[in-house]
Amino acid sequence: MKRFFPASVLVLLLALSPSAAAQNIPLGQAEPRQMTEEILHSYTVYPYQPAFLIETRPAAGVRDDVPESVVAGWIGAMRAGQVDAVAGFWDKASQRQIAERDKAMGKQPSDWVQQWKRLFGNSKVVLNHKIKYGKYWMIAYTALDPAGQVLIHETVALTNAEGKWRLTLALADNVVLNNWESGKTRVQRLAAPLFKSSAQ
């Protein structure tokens, strides 16, 4: 049994097809517009007074219920060039992201060992600030060479799953993580979909 569609339905189907939409639907003059969305980020900064010198330690000696201990263990694993142990300090989603990044860059995890040893092999590492942001803790640390020169200063984020703290990339694009030390209270950037497409 054959089915027949009314002419009006066929016209509608044709009008909705991509080629028809591109050719037959007229558009008026484009009107570029902008909209600003204000989002308030509340966070609390706790300075370590004085800066807290951490003793880097093997992974086996880490207390994963203490964020500072996790950061110390992570840096200790990098200092020792322990690739698998370094990965284990990150949450599962971040481990996948790091693996994808390395693949895109054509790197093996072991390729980072020389950089880790340059930054941490003979450095003193101090914790400067601890920041509470929702369910996350952030910890800012500085690695100093024997002459007191800064080798690296960065802030890392940690998340808790089942009572265990792990480093996370969940806040990699977060405005607080990237700007809390800037002195700014207002930051402008592209909305997430535009930011991601322009960064590719």
Side-chain angles (χ1 to χ4, degrees), residues 148-168:
Q149 298 298 309
V150 175
L151 295 171
I152 184 173
H153 174 75
E154 70 172 346
T155 303
V156 292
L158 299 101
T159 188
N160 192 296
E162 299 178 352
K164 297 180 180 180
W165 289 99
R166 290 288 181 270
L167 294 159
T168 183

Side-chain angles (χ1 to χ4, degrees), residues 57-130:
R57 62 199 72 182
V62 171
R63 286 190 55 182
D64 54 18
D65 60 332
V66 179
E68 289 85 352
S69 181
V70 171
V71 173
W74 171 60
I75 291 173
M78 288 191 290
R79 176 174 284 172
Q82 299 171 335
V83 174
D84 291 340
V86 170
F89 284 102
W90 294 90
D91 63 15
K92 296 298 183 184
S94 299
Q95 288 182 36
R96 289 192 293 270
Q97 286 181 259
I98 291 168
E100 290 169 3
R101 176 206 63 188
D102 285 353
K103 183 177 179 181
M105 295 175 64
K107 286 183 172 289
Q108 299 294 323
S110 57
D111 294 337
W112 296 103
V113 171
Q114 281 303 112
Q115 181 173 334
W116 294 341
K117 291 191 174 181
R118 178 179 64 81
L119 294 173
F120 303 110
N122 194 31
S123 63
K124 177 176 74 172
V125 181
V126 294
L127 307 184
N128 310 108
H129 292 86
K130 187 175 185 179

Side-chain angles (χ1 to χ4, degrees), residues 9-27:
V9 174
L10 292 176
V11 169
L12 179 61
L13 291 174
L14 287 173
L16 292 177
S17 69
S19 59
Q23 296 173 10
N24 299 327
I25 299 179
L27 295 176

Side-chain angles (χ1 to χ4, degrees), residues 119-189:
L119 294 173
F120 303 110
N122 194 31
S123 63
K124 177 176 74 172
V125 181
V126 294
L127 307 184
N128 310 108
H129 292 86
K130 187 175 185 179
I131 302 100
K132 182 63 174 171
Y133 178 65
K135 67 179 183 179
Y136 301 97
W137 278 111
M138 303 178 192
I139 292 181
Y141 75 89
T142 304
L144 305 163
D145 69 13
Q149 298 298 309
V150 175
L151 295 171
I152 184 173
H153 174 75
E154 70 172 346
T155 303
V156 292
L158 299 101
T159 188
N160 192 296
E162 299 178 352
K164 297 180 180 180
W165 289 99
R166 290 288 181 270
L167 294 159
T168 183
L169 292 175
L171 299 183
D173 295 331
N174 182 266
V175 68
V176 175
L177 181 73
N178 294 304
N179 292 277
W180 75 270
E181 287 185 286
S182 69
K184 300 176 181 177
T185 57
R186 296 176 68 89
V187 176
Q188 286 189 335
R189 61 178 182 172

